């Protein structure tokens, strides 16, 4: 993997890249590359064996500058259009996880002509009445100053899962990892907090514009974004392979269940067109 | 003679009727503490009692009364401190009324704050001190304020209000967050150029820079006082010098809590119920490790990430907070809640002032579920037996350490 800093109209954007072939852009989530891990994990590495995987860090994370002005989902969409322009990416496959999935969906309804296929993994972004995305900000405040059990439960299959304990341990973790976790929460607070909360009410009625082939992947027990959101995406996207559930998994399936998640993505991307 | 330390009575207006097992049965006193615990019958007359205590402070010679804004918490029943301030304008004649402060990012239009403070300044004949605060963690949750952009919104709101009081209207304000075509509030404040502006701060250098640049008063929003308080004075003094000013005691205030009794033993005996109610219940969710502290941390990311990284480097998440206090010795060490005879309280306050020469002491007398008669007795003993000595000694100390005040008088904080 290489990590480089791209200049996008005066803004620094950190780009992680690996592999060769068809360009596949990956927009990350909370428990993910850039947002806690400095570099690619087994899920990303598996994709990079088949494709040219390009994963920009969201504004403010892992070497990317914060935006100086404007943090609405529209501003973020334009930020990424400028990133893709700077990368010279005309057409590409797009995968987004969690907040990255929301951004991916917003890009797909704006510029369907640039996106060959859309894969959403535990994506927020939709308003589903009575089924809110969980309050990650509340759970990011540790109990007794040191205990992140409820945050781990939100992001993973359970608070004692090995991946959860590796990336969100109790007490002070690795300084760089903690800083990236904070940067991701700050990004989420900027772009996803208002209107409440990690959604765009208008998005569901715009999904019909995303006419590229699409796949929706969800963990069986996602405690962060209810699987009803996955069903709503699968229902609204016009050329969707359906909602695929990873058994036994929580929210951050790329980190916790890398092999089945990568296999689903790869077989979807490699399907005969 | 230099001006003495100014002594204010701060009332947090806590909810005092929780059951004795509240701490065992509830995980927080903030944001999600169930309001089914509010007892409508017992609560009748509560605001009146608290307002009367503040009016009593004015009557017995405190320099002012302090109010603040909190939402959805047993810690403070003041979602709208301006309402209490309005009552005080009619019930008091002398003291300053310090609102510390309105939480500006919670207002869709900060002009409303400019208007209400100007009304209060007129209604009190120029006795308002205008505090502005950005809010912190709890507001993220109780008012759905996004933490990350809240600091920028806050400073723009302060700028708008200051202009609304000083720049002839109507004018067009081209703010990023609060664009307004016609800024022209009626009334204007009584005080010229405007009521003194106080801003709380603790961790952020940026806050000190803004305070220094604009000539505001710095309120250190910390509840514990030791070496850190002196460090904060020095840090602020350095920033003031960078901006062409210099430190004077009247540029800075701190919060203390206190109970005065006839003797140390009697004071402890009388204060203990209120103090432990305050520490265990009111601070749960705020200044206590038990439960989930909401005031500061990764879930309320209002400071930039490089500042948070420094905080991570130099802090220890297992260090007890004020609410984790176990016994009187612990409490003594925190230098936050001073309990004792008039002699003891005088000495403990002077120890703090000698290390941290601040010109404004904002003192909380009512703690937790403290009874009305005890609260008033403690205030009275303070006013009659502690305050005169503190005033005399502090005037001497400030005159000695800041000789330029002798000739120029107490410079006005804008």
């Amino acid at each position: 993997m290489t990590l480089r800093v791209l200049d996008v109209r005066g803004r620094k954007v950190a780009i992680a890249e690996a592999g060769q072939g068809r360009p596949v852009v990956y927009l990350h989530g909370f428990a993910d590359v850039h947002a806690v891990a400095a570099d690619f994990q087994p899920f990303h590495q598996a994709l990079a064996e088949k494709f040219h995987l390009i994963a920009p860090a969201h504004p403010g994370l892992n070497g990317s500058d914060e935006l100086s002005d404007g943090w609405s989902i529209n501003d973020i969409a334009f930020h990424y259009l400028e990133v893709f322009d700077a990368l010279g990416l005309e057409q590409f496959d797009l995968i987004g996880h969690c907040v990255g999935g929301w951004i991916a969906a917003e890009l797909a309804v704006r510029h369907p002509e640039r996106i060959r296929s859309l894969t959403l993994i535990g994506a927020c972004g939709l308003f589903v009445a009575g089924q809110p995305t969980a309050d990650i900000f509340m759970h990011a405040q540790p109990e007794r100053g040191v205990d992140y059990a409820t945050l781990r439960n939100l992001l993973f299959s359970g608070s004692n899962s090995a991946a959860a304990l590796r990336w969100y341990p109790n007490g002070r973790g690795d300084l760089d990892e903690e800083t990236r976790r904070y940067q991701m929460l700050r990004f989420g607070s900027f772009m996803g907090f208002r209107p409440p909360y990690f959604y765009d009410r208008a998005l569901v009625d715009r999904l019909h514009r995303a006419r590229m082939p699409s796949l929706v992947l969800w963990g069986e027990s996602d405690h962060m974004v209810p699987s009803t959101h996955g069903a709503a995406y699968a229902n609204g996207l016009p050329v969707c392979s359906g909602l695929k559930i990873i058994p036994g998994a929580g929210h951050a399936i790329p980190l916790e269940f890398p092999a089945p998640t990568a296999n689903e993505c790869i077989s979807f991307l490699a399907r005969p067109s | 003679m230099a001006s003495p330390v100014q002594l204010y009575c701060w009332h947090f207006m806590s909810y005092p009727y929780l059951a004795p097992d509240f701490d065992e049965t509830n995980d927080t006193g903030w944001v999600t503490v169930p309001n089914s615990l509010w007892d409508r019958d017992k609560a009748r007359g509560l605001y009146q009692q608290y307002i009367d205590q503040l009016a009593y402070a004015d009557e017995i010679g405190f320099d002012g009364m302090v109010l603040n804004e909190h939402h959805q918490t047993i810690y403070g029943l003041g979602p709208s401190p301006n309402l209490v301030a309005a009552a005080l304008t009619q019930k008091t004649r002398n003291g300053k009324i310090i609102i510390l402060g309105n939480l500006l990012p919670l207002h869709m239009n900060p002009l409303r704050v400019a208007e209400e403070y100007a009304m209060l300044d007129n209604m009190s004949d120029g006795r308002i001190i205008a505090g502005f605060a950005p809010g912190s963690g709890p507001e993220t949750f109780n008012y759905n304020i996004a933490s990350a952009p809240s600091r920028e919104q806050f400073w723009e709101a302060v700028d708008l209000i200051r202009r609304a009081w000083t720049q002839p209207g109507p004018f067009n304000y081209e703010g990023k967050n609060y664009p307004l075509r016609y800024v022209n509030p009626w009334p204007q404040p009584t005080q010229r150029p405007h009521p003194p502006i106080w801003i709380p701060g603790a961790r952020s250098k940026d806050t000190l820079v803004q305070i220094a640049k604009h000539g505001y008063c710095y309120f250190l929003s910390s509840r514990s006082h030791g070496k850190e308080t002196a460090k904060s004075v020095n840090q602020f003094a350095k920033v003031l010098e960078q901006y062409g000013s210099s430190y004077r005691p009247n540029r800075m205030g701190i919060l203390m809590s206190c109970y005065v009794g006839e003797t140390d033993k009697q004071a402890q005996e009388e204060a203990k119920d209120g103090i432990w109610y305050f520490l265990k219940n009111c601070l749960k969710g705020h200044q206590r490790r038990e439960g989930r502290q909401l005031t500061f941390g990764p879930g309320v990311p209002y400071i930039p990430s490089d500042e948070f990284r420094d905080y991570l480097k130099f802090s220890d998440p297992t260090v007890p907070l004020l609410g984790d206090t176990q016994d009187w010795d612990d409490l003594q060490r925190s230098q936050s809640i001073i309990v004792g005879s008039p002699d003891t309280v005088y000495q403990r306050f002077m120890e703090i002032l000698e290390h941290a020469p601040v010109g404004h002491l904002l003192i909380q007398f009512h703690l937790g579920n403290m009874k009305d008669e005890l609260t008033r007795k403690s205030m009275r003993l303070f006013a009659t037996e502690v305050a005169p000595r503190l005033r005399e000694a502090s005037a001497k100390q400030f005159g000695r350490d800041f000789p330029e005040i002798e000739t120029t008088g107490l410079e006005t904080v804008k």
Side-chain angles (χ1 to χ4, degrees):
Chain A
M1 187 209 80
T2 59
L3 185 68
R4 64 182 166 119
V5 175
L6 186 71
D7 184 285
V8 180
R9 298 176 54 80
R11 302 190 301 276
K12 280 189 260 177
V13 179
I15 308 276
E17 252 176 310
Q20 289 176 339
R22 240 163 79 191
V24 175
V25 171
Y26 179 73
L27 299 179
H28 66 86
F30 273 92
D32 212 332
V33 63
H34 299 308
V36 55
D39 42 28
F40 281 158
Q41 299 303 306
F43 164 78
H44 315 98
Q45 287 157 359
L47 285 176
E49 280 173 22
K50 307 275 182 194
F51 306 101
H52 176 197
L53 188 69
I54 305 158
H58 294 318
L61 280 85
N62 210 21
S64 288
D65 285 340
E66 288 193 347
L67 299 182
S68 55
D69 210 2
W71 286 90
S72 69
I73 187 64
N74 201 44
D75 298 317
I76 302 295
F78 271 97
H79 164 78
Y80 275 110
L81 290 173
E82 290 175 351
V83 172
F84 301 147
D85 291 346
L87 287 166
L89 286 170
E90 256 328 297
Q91 231 206 2
F92 50 91
D93 297 274
L94 182 59
I95 304 175
H97 169 44
C98 180
V99 173
W102 176 18
I103 299 166
E106 297 276 358
L107 289 164
V109 299
R110 282 168 174 76
H111 287 279
E113 74 283 358
R114 288 182 81 164
I115 296 165
R116 284 183 49 157
S117 76
L118 175 70
T119 304
L120 301 179
I121 307 172
C124 54
L126 294 182
F127 173 76
V128 181
Q131 300 272 302
T133 295
D135 187 352
I136 192 168
F137 299 100
M138 176 72 86
H139 291 276
Q141 292 293 95
E143 292 180 284
R144 291 180 298 286
V146 293
D147 189 335
Y148 289 99
T150 68
L151 180 63
R152 289 195 295 272
N153 184 57
L154 218 64
L155 292 173
F156 297 88
S157 59
S159 59
N160 291 321
S161 105
L165 289 163
R166 159 65 187 90
W167 294 107
Y168 295 81
N170 284 351
R172 279 288 144 77
D174 173 80
L175 182 62
D176 292 328
E177 283 176 18
E178 284 228 35
T179 303
R180 282 191 289 272
R181 277 157 47 177
Y182 183 82
Q183 289 170 335
M184 183 62 196
L185 284 156
R186 197 163 149 86
F187 172 71
S189 176
F190 267 122
M191 60 82 68
F193 205 90
R194 196 182 250 184
Y197 172 123
F198 291 123
Y199 62 68
D200 172 0
R201 272 184 184 256
L203 179 57
V204 70
D205 282 338
R206 294 175 181 153
L207 290 177
H208 70 94
R209 287 180 42 84
R211 288 176 303 273
M212 70 293 294
S214 58
L215 169 69
V216 182
L217 278 178
W218 231 264
E220 182 185 15
S221 44
D222 187 326
H223 308 127
M224 170 86 177
V225 188
S227 62
T228 46
H229 293 232
Y233 270 122
N235 186 47
L237 289 166
V239 191
C240 187
S241 310
L243 172 64
K244 295 238 168 123
I245 299 288
I246 307 285
H251 174 66
I253 52 175
L255 218 55
E256 195 179 11
F257 289 78
T261 310
N263 289 343
E264 289 289 353
C265 291
I266 290 165
S267 60
F268 170 66
L269 291 173
R271 80 209 173 285
S273 47
Chain B
M1 195 67 176
S3 286
V5 66
Q6 302 290 293
L7 303 166
Y8 310 96
C9 174
W10 191 330
H11 211 309
F12 283 79
M13 306 196 159
S14 49
Y15 181 76
Y17 301 123
L18 298 171
D21 66 350
F22 175 83
D23 185 23
E24 287 85 67
T25 50
N26 286 271
D27 54 13
T28 185
W30 289 69
V31 181
T32 52
V33 54
N35 64 4
S36 54
L37 297 177
W38 177 274
D39 187 319
R40 296 184 194 220
D41 297 316
K42 283 186 182 160
R44 289 178 77 166
L46 183 63
Y47 278 104
Q48 196 59 60
Q49 183 188 112
Y50 287 169
I51 289 167
D52 288 347
Q53 285 172 6
L54 284 162
Y56 183 59
D58 187 55
E59 198 183 307
I60 60 180
F62 279 87
D63 296 303
M65 301 141 272
V66 191
L67 308 165
N68 62 349
E69 176 173 338
H70 287 293
H71 301 264
Q72 298 191 177
T73 171
I74 59 163
Y75 175 86
L77 302 175
S80 178
N82 301 0
L83 295 179
V84 177
L88 291 175
T89 65
Q90 305 305 299
K91 287 191 78 96
T92 66
R93 285 285 169 269
N94 304 307
K96 301 282 184 198
I97 300 170
I98 301 157
I99 306 166
L100 198 58
N102 279 193
L103 305 177
L104 301 184
L106 277 60
H107 289 264
M108 206 188 285
N109 190 339
L111 207 50
R112 178 67 177 224
V113 176
E115 292 172 332
E116 289 192 2
Y117 276 11
M119 280 179 74
L120 289 166
D121 205 37
N122 282 272
M123 290 162 69
S124 66
D125 196 27
R127 291 188 285 136
I128 293 298
I129 289 177
F132 300 124
S136 67
E139 287 68 39
T140 304
F141 305 108
N142 61 33
Y143 257 62
N144 198 49
I145 302 299
S147 304
S150 66
R151 288 305 186 263
E152 183 197 273
Q153 279 173 27
F154 170 72
W155 288 112
E156 185 183 316
V158 174
D159 178 65
L160 167 62
I161 295 170
R162 192 172 43 81
R163 285 171 195 269
W165 286 341
T166 53
Q167 191 171 323
F171 63 88
N172 179 17
Y173 187 74
E174 295 179 323
K176 185 167 140 191
N177 297 281
Y178 307 107
L180 290 163
R181 198 177 284 277
Y182 307 105
V183 180
N184 190 32
W186 288 70
Q188 287 283 284
T190 299
Q191 297 176 78
R192 290 187 175 88
H194 55 71
I197 292 175
W198 289 19
I199 309 273
R203 289 192 174 85
S204 166
K205 170 122 195 267
D206 185 50
T207 302
L208 295 184
V209 167
Q210 296 282 350
I211 290 171
K213 265 198 210 166
H214 291 103
Y216 302 147
C217 177
Y218 174 38
F219 167 70
L220 178 67
S221 56
S222 166
R223 273 197 167 272
S224 300
H225 298 289
K227 282 185 201 135
E228 290 298 313
T229 308
K231 243 194 241 171
S232 296
V233 172
N234 292 334
Q235 186 196 13
F236 183 41
K238 272 194 200 123
V239 174
L240 283 168
E241 270 158 35
Q242 280 164 17
Y243 287 85
S245 183
S246 54
Y247 182 80
R248 300 281 185 282
N250 72 327
R251 292 299 298 272
M252 188 163 167
I254 60 172
L255 162 63
M256 308 284 307
S257 304
C258 136
Y259 187 87
V260 194
E262 281 80 353
T263 63
D264 287 352
K265 194 157 174 273
Q266 194 178 340
Q268 284 194 6
E269 192 51 39
E270 289 171 351
K272 68 174 195 298
D273 287 354
I275 287 177
W276 295 105
Y277 183 105
F278 173 75
L279 293 172
K280 296 293 165 209
N281 301 340
C282 300
L283 294 186
K284 196 172 194 180
H286 175 42
Q287 289 272 320
R288 197 173 158 200
R289 294 295 186 196
E290 194 58 41
R292 202 190 290 281
Q293 183 268 115
L294 295 180
T295 308
F296 179 79
V300 290
Y302 50 81
I303 64 172
S305 53
D306 50 346
E307 280 182 33
F308 192 77
R309 191 185 171 89
D310 283 343
Y311 160 79
L312 287 174
K313 264 196 264 180
F314 300 114
S315 66
D316 174 355
T318 61
V319 166
L321 301 171
L322 181 60
D324 301 306
T325 299
Q326 295 299 325
D327 52 37
W328 288 104
D329 288 342
D330 257 8
L331 196 63
Q332 173 102 357
R333 273 192 294 277
S334 75
Q335 300 203 60
S336 171
I337 305 179
I338 310 289
V339 180
S341 68
D343 277 352
T344 301
V345 170
Y346 165 72
Q347 280 159 16
R348 301 283 310 280
F349 271 72
M350 277 314 294
E351 279 164 26
I352 289 167
L353 280 185
E354 274 156 20
H355 290 105
V358 296
H360 305 280
L361 289 179
L362 287 59
I363 308 163
Q364 173 187 20
F365 289 92
H366 179 268
L367 286 146
N369 62 353
M370 190 172 280
K371 298 269 181 286
D372 184 49
E373 59 273 20
L374 292 177
T375 308
R376 284 170 177 257
K377 182 177 104 169
S378 163
M379 287 164 62
R380 187 171 61 245
L381 282 172
F382 187 91
T384 54
E385 298 191 31
V386 181
R389 295 157 71 187
L390 272 181
R391 289 186 173 119
E392 195 189 325
S394 63
K396 252 187 226 159
Q397 183 200 327
F398 295 165
R400 183 190 69 216
D401 297 346
F402 302 89
E404 56 283 6
I405 301 177
E406 297 269 5
T407 50
T408 59
L410 190 69
E411 72 181 280
T412 311
V413 177
K414 277 181 286 185

